[in-house]
Amino acid sequence: MWKAYQDMREANYKGADKYFHAKGNFDAAQRGPGGKWIAGVISDAREGWQGGVSGRGAEDSAADQEANKWGRNGGDPNKYRPKGLPDKY
């Protein structure tokens, strides 16, 4: 998940947020049941904070969680990949 976060910051690409959410959760889940579990814990904590405390909004947080769950359950992160995002990511 940390690598996906770093890549998201580096890419700084509009509309790529959900892709990196899905990618980070997908990568963590590929490490086994513990990776899948901790990805859920981290994602829930992050979205709980961002959706409530930060004032970012429940809709955006719910969309992030959808992408998190998609990746964590083995879904292809490219479902959320925006056009034009460099192949590096």
Side-chain angles (χ1 to χ4, degrees):
M1 291 181 79
W2 182 250
K3 172 78 168 110
Y5 175 75
Q6 289 176 313
D7 286 347
M8 181 179 70
R9 301 286 295 179
E10 178 184 299
N12 193 30
Y13 197 87
K14 187 173 181 161
D17 181 52
K18 306 302 180 266
Y19 167 75
F20 287 110
H21 276 268
K23 178 93 170 90
N25 276 268
F26 179 86
D27 291 347
Q30 297 308 298
R31 296 179 177 266
K36 184 176 180 177
W37 176 80
I38 197 64
V41 170
I42 291 169
S43 294
D44 290 347
R46 181 175 181 263
E47 293 309 321
W49 180 81
Q50 286 189 329
V53 176
S54 77
R56 217 185 70 192
E59 279 185 32
D60 192 50
S61 184
D64 285 350
Q65 281 290 52
E66 178 184 317
N68 292 336
K69 289 176 187 171
W70 175 261
R72 198 164 51 246
N73 288 319
D76 184 353
N78 287 312
K79 172 182 177 179
Y80 297 97
R81 185 181 189 86
K83 289 183 180 187
L85 180 67
D87 290 342
K88 171 182 178 177
Y89 306 107

